[in-house]
Amino acid sequence: MKARACSLALLLMALGAGFAVAGDDGEKKYKRPKQLSVPLSAPKVWSAECGSCHIAYPPGLLPPAAWKRQMDTLNKHYGSNATLDAADEQAIRDFLAATSTVNRLPLEPSPKAGEPPRISTTAWFIRKHDEVRADVWRRKSVGSAANCVACHAGAEKGDFDDDRVQIPK
Ligand code: HEC
Ligand code: HEC
């Protein structure tokens, strides 16, 4: 656990240094998702399948290329097997591809080799959460940064408004 805390701290420091540079020419280098609402037309199979182990992450959180990598590697999904039948997989692919273009985010690979891109390791995510201490992420009530709904009750609807954030004890 110590090693993990340490590498997270290093990661945050490295990214912090990156921001100091990026800050100089601002907006151009730093993109964050602004549109996160989930369309009413979202297929049921998406919320059922992609919301069974964790919340169904709103598509606007990642760019289309990142979702493609998710869908291309479902058999090796962060240590889980999330394989789907062909029809369901295609329906989810089409939905994610069409819905995730709105925010024009860059593709950011996971820092951990061999896994698809994460939301929780993107530059905007780390910056938005720089006030959340490392030990808070590890609380039993939180578990990991991927567990958005622990602090953002409306996460599945795409509501991450900072006025409604509540960090559990
Ligand atoms: C069998 C369980 C399971 C299913 C089904 C599943 N996932 Fe996951 N997913 C996981 C696990 C485990 C993680 C890693 C969570 C962590 O690090 O805390 C994860 C992580 C993720 C992440 C990265 C979260 C982060 O850290 O930013 C994304 C994005 C994601 N899943 C998308 C999907 C999509 C899209 C589907 C449907 C096609 C799906 N998942 C279905 C188990 C699953
Ligand atoms: C441990 C609690 C916690 C978890 C888990 C968490 N967040 Fe946050 N989130 C926060 C806090 C605290 C803020 C900052 C609020 C502020 O700036 O006042 C924030 C801010 C945000 C913002 C910016 C909101 C705004 O109005 O500017 C977004 C977007 C966001 N989080 C998305 C996510 C996503 C997506 C996940 C899961 C992959 C997640 N968060 C997981 C606590 C959390």
Side-chain angles (χ1 to χ4, degrees):
M1 213 203 267
K2 251 204 179 126
R4 206 177 144 209
C6 183
S7 61
L8 182 63
L10 282 173
L11 174 71
L12 291 171
M13 268 160 63
L15 285 158
F19 286 137
V21 177
D24 295 333
D25 53 5
E27 282 297 288
K28 256 185 218 144
K29 280 191 184 161
Y30 175 64
K31 292 236 194 262
R32 66 183 172 86
K34 294 187 177 145
Q35 203 166 311
L36 291 169
S37 58
V38 177
L40 290 172
S41 60
K44 288 258 181 328
V45 60
W46 166 73
S47 41
E49 298 291 348
C50 301
S52 62
C53 297
H54 44 65
I55 63 155
Y57 298 110
L61 287 164
L62 288 173
W67 289 120
K68 182 176 185 305
R69 289 198 191 169
Q70 296 286 336
M71 298 308 292
D72 287 345
T73 56
L74 286 178
N75 60 336
K76 289 189 303 250
H77 184 77
Y78 309 94
S80 290
N81 186 341
T83 314
L84 296 163
D85 74 50
D88 289 350
E89 190 197 302
Q90 194 59 51
I92 294 171
R93 264 182 197 277
D94 294 346
F95 167 66
L96 290 173
T99 319
S100 60
T101 53
V102 284
N103 291 314
R104 301 179 177 279
L105 299 171
L107 174 66
E108 295 178 68
S110 169
K112 194 171 164 196
E115 66 174 29
R118 284 182 180 265
I119 301 155
S120 59
T121 54
T122 57
W124 69 262
F125 183 96
I126 291 171
R127 189 175 186 175
K128 279 286 174 192
H129 295 89
D130 61 358
E131 282 170 18
V132 180
R133 294 190 322 263
D135 62 297
V136 171
W137 297 120
R138 293 192 304 269
R139 277 182 194 165
K140 273 216 181 76
S141 52
V142 178
S144 85
N147 189 17
C148 322
V149 76
C151 307
H152 302 280
E156 225 163 356
K157 294 192 200 83
D159 178 7
F160 296 94
D161 196 303
D162 46 14
D163 294 340
R164 287 184 284 279
V165 174
Q166 221 165 0
I167 299 179
K169 292 274 176 246

